[in-house]
Amino acid sequence: MTEIAADRNVLALTCPSRVIFARIGDRWTMFIVLALADRTMRFTELKNSIGPVAPKVLTETLRALEDDGLVARDSFPDSPPRVEYSLTDLGRSLLEPIAAMRAWAERHVPEVLASRERALD
Amino acid sequence: MTEIAADRNVLALTCPSRVIFARIGDRWTMFIVLALADRTMRFTELKNSIGPVAPKVLTETLRALEDDGLVARDSFPDSPPRVEYSLTDLGRSLLEPIAAMRAWAERHVPEVLASRERALD
DNA sequence: CTGAATCCGAAAGGATACTG
DNA sequence: CAGTATCCTTTCGGATTCAG
């Protein structure tokens, strides 16, 4: 009974890969992680560097990353308020597999896009 | 004028990484790719191995993968009909970065889930 | 400056029944 | 067997406005 039947299949919905691909696959997460790879950033700074993201969505995504322990949020009691976001050690460790995926993408996505366009006929 | 201003930023929406993460991040794509990593599979066979996916959704996902040149669809004029899906060379080349991401996930997602649960308080 | 609150449309995903 | 056709619910992302 210590063995859980539902875990026999690596394709189960709780599959670790599924969790991480779902997280990275969303609209802004990867841009945020990459922006924070170099340095700590403030909310508006982040907002300006990653593109036209609505504040609500940016907040949601940052909270999710924070909940997952990938991003740290540090607020300072200044006026005007100052909040800094940075990658945690866990978040930084994610940069390596991301780099592998990005390398593949740089090399092969043009092929993918070409194929996608051919499919429109 | 041969330089496109919008491409100056690696974080642009047409960023190759964005394209590939969006593709892999959807609900069933990764399961399909992993199922086809070992061998060619037929529609129902695929359906049975990846979980409770609606036929409509499986078809949509397979068509998208086919359009992107990652999966090949071969149909045979048999009765009853027989259709086989397999990874293309391009699709197989994607297995390597996926493996890197999966290795990270196997090692660190428990941490992520623990952190996520702590955040519920 | 850093969000929170509200409202909205589009899209993704799914249940079900049916067909060549 | 390998899908298509409908219909439906939920989720996601975004626009806008307001507040501490």
Side-chain angles (χ1 to χ4, degrees), chain B residues 9-114:
Chain B
N9 190 353
V10 287
L11 296 175
L13 297 184
T14 53
C15 173
S17 306
R18 171 76 200 129
V19 172
I20 192 60
F21 280 117
R23 158 60 67 238
I24 302 187
D26 83 342
R27 187 72 181 77
W28 297 104
T29 289
M30 195 197 44
F31 293 155
I32 293 174
V33 171
L34 291 179
L36 295 180
D38 297 330
R39 60 186 184 85
T40 288
M41 292 184 89
R42 301 176 59 169
F43 187 87
T44 301
E45 201 174 8
L46 203 43
K47 179 166 159 30
N48 289 333
S49 44
I50 68 177
V53 56
K56 192 201 76 170
V57 175
L58 181 54
T59 300
E60 284 172 355
T61 308
L62 284 170
R63 291 274 183 274
L65 286 169
E66 199 190 345
D67 288 351
D68 287 357
L70 298 168
V71 161
R73 176 183 184 279
D74 293 291
S75 70
F76 305 86
D78 299 6
S79 178
R82 179 163 59 98
V83 177
E84 298 194 337
Y85 293 93
S86 58
L87 293 183
T88 60
D89 288 343
L90 187 59
R92 252 186 306 281
S93 75
L94 186 55
L95 290 174
E96 191 174 340
I98 285 181
M101 194 63 79
R102 279 171 56 83
W104 187 94
E106 298 286 344
R107 185 168 317 188
H108 297 290
V109 160
E111 262 185 271
V112 170
L113 293 178

